[in-house]
Amino acid sequence: MTTFDDILEEAGNFGRSQKRVFGLLCLVSMPWAGVYVGIVFQGFTPEHWCRDPVVKELQKGCGWSLQESRGLTSPLVNGSTGVPVHSTCERYDLDWNATGLTCDLNQEVDVGGAPTTSCKDGWEYDYEGRQSFVTEFDLVCADAWLVDMFQATLNVGFLIGSIAIGYLADRFGRKMSFLVSNLLNGIFGILVALAPTYVALLVFRTLYGFGVKGGWVCGYVLITEIVGVEYRRTVGVVYQMFFSVGLLFLPLLAYFISDWRWLQVVITAPYFLFLSYYWFIPESPRWLLSQSNSKAAKKITEDMARENGKVLSKNIETLRDDNAETSSTSFMDLIRTPKMRKHTFILMFNWFTSAVVYQGLIMRLGILGGNVYVDFLISALVEFPAAFLILFTIERIGRRLPFATANIVAGASCFITAFIPESMFWFKTTVACVGRLGITMAFEMVVFVNTELYPTFVRNLGVSVCSTLCDIGGIVAPFLLYRLAVIWIELPLIIFGSLAFVAGGLVLLLPETKGVPLPETINDIEFPDRCKDNAAKSQQLKNLLSPTDVTINKEASTV
């Protein structure tokens, strides 16, 4: 019987039709960047201090600056670096009318021994007419931890949604699941922008995350299923690279849109436009074949061939799916045998580490006190070399060494950055950017390395289970960053560096997969030498049967 890969050779492995669909789906990665790390701008916490109603009235009448009024009302406390700073959560508990305070700031007011109190009248924010949800809902001081929930609830949505929509994609198709996800993204994204309370905001944010990641994964699966096997890894890496393109646009949008609610609307709007893809992208012929719908698969494949300027000559009537899974699978398959168990736990840890360090380094930009727009833009630019370094190294050097090196470089950069003084600003920034480059490479590599370390019948399950640790890492990341930074602003970097070092070391315990056929059974994992011998014998047999150049390049689609 004719396989889909056989027909795809004739229809065009990466012709005009696939390039058009690929270009359209790459756009899906761009707004996801705003969803994933928009907290840097939407949840920005500016300089703040307790509001004093009496001093506020004097400030308006006397024309004082915010900092001048702050100097009167906020007591000095020791900062995280040991340098005295004005308190953000306490003010003097004084009757300023009784002190005889006037507009003359040179007048000495005795506040020595004056009692202090909490910010019972709210806070003042030095934010130049801009508004984040932090300033709107006063999520500072005792309520500062609630900011962490904004990112954590999103990742809870990712975790549930990627599993649920992954099931729907296998049950009802890639295209339909993609479109439903985008409809949900549009609806819940707008509800996030309209949320009247912070509790409602967190609920809508969770539902927003439910569709965003699942829809993105559907696009990833769809494009890798309609291109030839030799193009799958490249389109997968470039598809992820467009996330970095979205990161470049995010600080520009945030700079010109001063209100977090309107920024949310702009980030969400593209998801409504993606609904038009109903008329522009096909269903996956591979999925249709797995559902025994060969008639629809045949029509879509013929349309692809026609758009690519090709003519199909093989017997397409006997088309079947050569990657259809016939074995039942369970989680126990991932941990029952020693090497499978080792692969599973190492990959889980790497998914977790990649999510924690990547999100942590990005969110850290919002608490450094510099120009967050410029810092974010610079750090986004350094992500682009990651994809090219991956494509350049994996077929020349292999997978294991670049993967481990990326983690170790990220870890070393985090440690070094933590101890570089602020006076060496550009050196500190450069080292931090190297760390960002390293963890970006590691994050992109764990996706396809994961697929190469599991046998065919359990590959999709293996990637799904391991990648759930990515979402758990995303839940943990904001708490690690924001709570530890209160103790010492560089402390999160020490944690990130430790995680990345351990992840890099564990990767070295994995086998090299460069030039190794994808495993078909658990025995291929447990006894890799036997797998290599069988592959060599198979190649010799094919060479004997056919004097022409025969290429064996079978690869299961990744998720």
Side-chain angles (χ1 to χ4, degrees):
M1 295 180 71
T2 306
T3 69
F4 183 71
D5 282 330
D6 295 332
I7 293 296
L8 200 57
E9 287 285 341
E10 289 191 342
N13 284 316
F14 194 51
R16 180 179 176 182
S17 176
Q18 290 101 323
K19 289 175 182 176
R20 174 180 59 80
V21 175
F22 176 56
L24 290 172
L25 290 175
C26 279
L27 297 178
V28 178
S29 291
M30 294 172 64
W32 191 34
V35 177
Y36 198 51
V37 294
I39 186 175
V40 174
F41 303 103
Q42 293 176 296
F44 184 74
T45 302
E47 281 290 312
H48 56 279
W49 56 92
C50 297
R51 177 195 297 272
D52 188 300
V54 175
V55 175
K56 184 65 178 177
E57 289 301 317
L58 281 170
Q59 177 198 340
K60 293 178 180 178
C62 299
W64 295 339
S65 68
L66 291 173
Q67 294 299 326
E68 287 171 336
S69 63
R70 181 184 188 181
L72 284 173
T73 62
S74 301
L76 289 173
V77 296
N78 286 328
S80 60
T81 60
V83 178
V85 295
H86 286 287
S87 175
T88 59
C89 300
E90 290 184 331
R91 66 174 175 85
Y92 290 119
D93 190 14
L94 287 174
D95 180 0
W96 290 100
N97 292 321
T99 63
L101 180 64
T102 66
C103 291
D104 183 8
L105 288 174
N106 293 322
Q107 171 189 0
E108 289 191 8
V109 179
D110 184 16
V111 294
T116 59
T117 185
S118 61
C119 302
K120 55 189 178 184
D121 296 304
W123 285 265
E124 295 273 2
Y125 296 97
D126 187 6
Y127 204 29
E128 301 177 357
R130 308 181 75 84
Q131 181 162 278
S132 67
F133 64 77
V134 172
T135 63
E136 180 175 338
F137 297 112
D138 285 334
L139 303 180
V140 292
C141 297
D143 291 331
W145 67 275
L146 290 171
V147 177
D148 309 0
M149 296 298 295
F150 184 79
Q151 194 71 2
T153 52
L154 177 73
N155 281 275
V156 170
F158 285 169
L159 177 61
I160 300 171
S162 58
I163 296 172
I165 293 179
Y167 168 78
L168 294 176
D170 287 338
R171 180 71 177 81
F172 300 105
R174 312 331 189 189
K175 179 177 177 179
M176 185 57 62
S177 298
F178 172 81
L179 294 172
V180 170
S181 296
N182 283 286
L183 179 61
L184 293 175
N185 298 342
I187 293 172
F188 291 119
I190 295 300
L191 289 175
V192 168
L194 298 175
T197 65
Y198 193 61
V199 172
L201 175 62
L202 295 181
V203 172
F204 294 142
R205 178 81 166 164
T206 304
L207 296 171
Y208 192 31
F210 180 89
V212 170
K213 184 179 179 183
W216 184 85
V217 172
C218 284
Y220 185 99
V221 172
L222 177 56
I223 190 58
T224 56
E225 287 184 341
I226 64 172
V227 301
V229 290
E230 66 268 32
Y231 290 100
R232 288 178 191 163
R233 186 168 292 113
T234 300
V235 299
V237 171
V238 175
Y239 183 77
Q240 294 178 75
M241 190 180 74
F242 270 77
F243 179 91
S244 301
V245 176
L247 291 179
L248 291 181
F249 282 98
L250 184 58
L252 300 176
L253 291 172
Y255 180 79
F256 289 106
I257 302 173
S258 60
D259 190 298
W260 75 272
R261 292 182 183 272
W262 282 109
L263 179 59
Q264 174 66 32
V265 170
V266 171
I267 291 171
T268 301
Y271 289 111
F272 288 108
L273 297 178
F274 295 150
L275 295 176
S276 66
Y277 284 14
Y278 175 83
W279 292 280
F280 300 114
I281 64 173
E283 180 55 88
S284 166
R286 291 185 191 274
W287 177 80
L288 290 169
L289 287 172
S290 73
Q291 302 298 304
S292 301
N293 191 349
S294 58
K295 181 178 180 181
K298 173 187 172 184
K299 182 180 186 308
I300 291 172
T301 307
E302 289 175 336
D303 290 342
M304 288 171 55
R306 189 178 304 109
E307 187 174 351
N308 291 339
K310 304 285 186 177
V311 177
L312 300 180
S313 61
K314 290 187 177 179
N315 186 7
I316 196 171
E317 299 296 337
T318 61
L319 187 63
R320 66 177 176 84
D321 181 16
D322 58 331
N323 287 320
E325 296 178 5
T326 57
S327 302
S328 60
T329 62
S330 72
F331 173 75
M332 292 304 298
D333 292 320
L334 304 179
I335 60 173
R336 183 177 291 114
T337 56
K339 289 186 179 179
M340 285 285 287
R341 185 162 54 246
K342 181 182 73 173
H343 294 178
T344 298
F345 289 137
I346 291 176
L347 289 167
M348 280 181 166
F349 187 81
N350 270 270
W351 275 103
F352 177 82
T353 298
S354 295
V356 169
V357 179
Y358 183 80
Q359 288 192 54
L361 289 180
I362 293 181
M363 291 188 294
R364 180 175 174 270
L365 296 171
I367 63 174
L368 293 180
N371 187 320
V372 66
Y373 305 100
V374 175
D375 292 346
F376 194 99
L377 186 63
I378 292 173
S379 67
L381 284 170
V382 304
E383 287 200 5
F384 284 92
F388 298 107
L389 284 172
I390 291 171
L391 294 174
F392 180 78
T393 59
I394 58 175
E395 298 302 338
R396 293 170 174 83
I397 300 174
R399 278 71 157 149
R400 182 174 59 181
L401 188 57
F403 190 12
T405 301
N407 273 300
I408 293 170
V409 166
S413 298
C414 287
F415 276 120
I416 295 171
T417 302
F419 295 102
I420 298 175
E422 293 296 331
S423 58
M424 303 175 68
F425 173 76
W426 285 110
F427 180 55
K428 190 180 183 82
T429 301
T430 301
V431 175
C433 286
V434 172
R436 175 76 172 275
L437 173 64
I439 200 60
T440 300
M441 282 188 65
F443 213 162
E444 293 182 1
M445 289 194 72
V446 71
V447 179
F448 64 81
V449 169
N450 201 153
T451 66
E452 295 179 340
L453 288 173
Y454 283 122
T456 300
F457 80 96
V458 79
R459 186 170 293 125
N460 284 349
L461 176 65
V463 175
S464 297
V465 169
C466 292
S467 64
T468 58
L469 270 292
C470 171
D471 300 320
I472 294 173
I475 295 170
V476 171
F479 294 98
L480 278 178
L481 175 71
Y482 295 128
R483 295 315 103 214
L484 294 180
V486 173
I487 302 171
W488 177 37
I489 196 169
E490 307 294 5
L491 183 57
L493 289 179
I494 305 299
I495 304 300
F496 298 159
S498 301
L499 289 172
F501 264 127
V502 174
L506 290 175
V507 167
L508 294 175
L509 300 177
L510 294 174
E512 177 56 66
T513 56
K514 174 180 176 290
V516 178
L518 286 175
E520 297 294 336
T521 67
I522 290 179
N523 280 339
D524 292 341
I525 298 293
E526 298 299 321
F527 308 102
D529 292 336
R530 186 185 303 173
C531 177
K532 291 178 182 178
D533 291 341
N534 291 339
K537 291 177 182 178
S538 176
Q539 181 65 57
Q540 291 174 358
L541 180 60
K542 286 184 177 289
N543 290 338
L544 289 173
L545 292 174
S546 174
T548 58
D549 180 35
V550 178
T551 301
I552 303 175
N553 193 5
K554 297 293 182 185
E555 176 182 337
S557 59
T558 59
V559 297

